Amino acid sequence: MNIPELITIIVIGLAAGVLSGLVGVGGGIILVPLLIYFFNYTQHQAQGTSLGVLTLPVVVLGFLQYYKYCKDTANPIDFRIIGLLAIGFIFGGHFGGKIAAKIDTVLMKKIFAGILFYTAFKLLGWDSLLLNWIRKLFNPGSA
């Protein structure tokens, strides 16, 4: 590995880590696209690498920050919920990985992009704008 690649990897990791700690995203939104763009990873390689990276730093260090904050603000994190979600997550991750391994790379990219687009659409509130616009088209006197 040469120096520019090493620096690029560290910068990508830093960006993903900051976004992960800040808003709870990073792996899928930062790591996957950048590994594909800068390192010509396949969609499968990038997603697998992202999952591997998230294991320790996000799970342990990120969680500890949120745990402390929530405890200090009298809104503690419920470990029962974590345990139940983890059970589903373990099985879901296992079966999701098996399914992903059977999906063609081009289709995998389309699924990934669709999920990112849908998420952005919802977070920006465009779904409500679109629905209101459609309602006005079919019922001009309302809203």
Side-chain angles (χ1 to χ4, degrees), residues 41-44 100 103-111:
Y41 272 37
T42 67
Q43 188 72 29
H44 291 89
I103 295 175
D104 174 67
T105 299
V106 174
L107 178 58
M108 180 71 83
K109 283 184 178 183
K110 289 177 182 177
I111 292 168

Side-chain angles (χ1 to χ4, degrees), residues 19-98:
L19 283 173
S20 182
L22 183 65
V23 293
V25 300
I29 293 175
I30 298 297
L31 286 178
V32 172
L34 293 181
L35 287 171
I36 291 169
Y37 180 76
F38 286 110
F39 295 97
N40 296 315
Y41 272 37
T42 67
Q43 188 72 29
H44 291 89
Q45 282 177 300
Q47 288 179 201
T49 301
S50 174
L51 289 172
V53 167
L54 295 173
T55 302
L56 183 63
V58 172
V59 172
V60 175
L61 300 177
F63 169 74
L64 288 175
Q65 291 302 313
Y66 280 98
Y67 176 78
K68 182 182 180 321
Y69 173 79
C70 291
K71 183 178 166 195
D72 292 346
T73 60
N75 295 301
I77 293 174
D78 188 339
F79 283 94
R80 295 171 300 173
I81 299 297
I82 291 173
L84 292 170
L85 287 170
I87 291 168
F89 204 83
I90 288 168
F91 289 107
H94 174 74
F95 291 116
K98 280 185 169 278

